[in-house]
Amino acid sequence: MTATGRTVLKHSALAYLIVAFTALCCTAVVHSPPLALIYLVPLAAAVYIARTATVVDDAGVHARAVFGSQTVGWHELAGLRLDRSGAVYAVDSSGSQLRLPCVRSTRLDPLIAAGNGRIPDPAGRYS
């Protein structure tokens, strides 16, 4: 990561294929104008896929959600917590936790590499 670099960890673009398939299946249900509201379901899913991300830059780790975002600065970051379900949380110095969307415990490499040594690697590969 360069001095002005930024890494964005997002959902796969193939997730939009699922949204398109869901919209196609909704077409079979829509027989009148009021039922067209069913198309809001795949639309909401597309907005979720487009908006949620984990951004790593020089300021810290940002968790972006559909409505808003939260940041843990590098000076506040104490480490990562891995959940049994595979979720990854950024833990700050006060002990509060921030769920990192689009990051799973099985796919930590891009997050740790983007941290430029500021995120401890559980396996010790990037030290």
Side-chain angles (χ1 to χ4, degrees), residues 2 4 23 36 38 48 52 58 62 65 71 90 115 118 126:
T2 62
T4 60
I38 196 80
Y48 174 81
T52 57
D58 292 332
H62 312 277
T71 301
R118 296 176 279 204
Y126 298 100

Side-chain angles (χ1 to χ4, degrees), residues 47 51-52 64-69:
V47 169
R51 180 74 180 129
T52 57
R64 197 171 69 192
V66 175
F67 301 108
S69 65

Side-chain angles (χ1 to χ4, degrees), residues 1 13-14 32 47 49 62-63 66 71 73 85 93-94 97 113-114 120:
M1 189 164 79
L14 290 176
S32 65
V47 169
I49 292 168
H62 312 277
V66 175
T71 301
S85 65
S93 54
S94 68
Q97 301 176 11

Side-chain angles (χ1 to χ4, degrees), residues 6-7 51 53-65 67-80 89-101 118:
R6 143 184 160 135
T7 302
R51 180 74 180 129
T54 296
V55 180
V56 181
D57 62 12
D58 292 332
V61 180
H62 312 277
R64 197 171 69 192
F67 301 108
S69 65
Q70 292 180 316
T71 301
V72 175
W74 291 119
H75 62 284
E76 300 170 333
L77 185 67
L80 298 176
Y89 297 84
V91 181
D92 66 7
S93 54
S94 68
S96 63
Q97 301 176 11
L98 175 63
R99 169 83 163 82
L100 301 177
R118 296 176 279 204

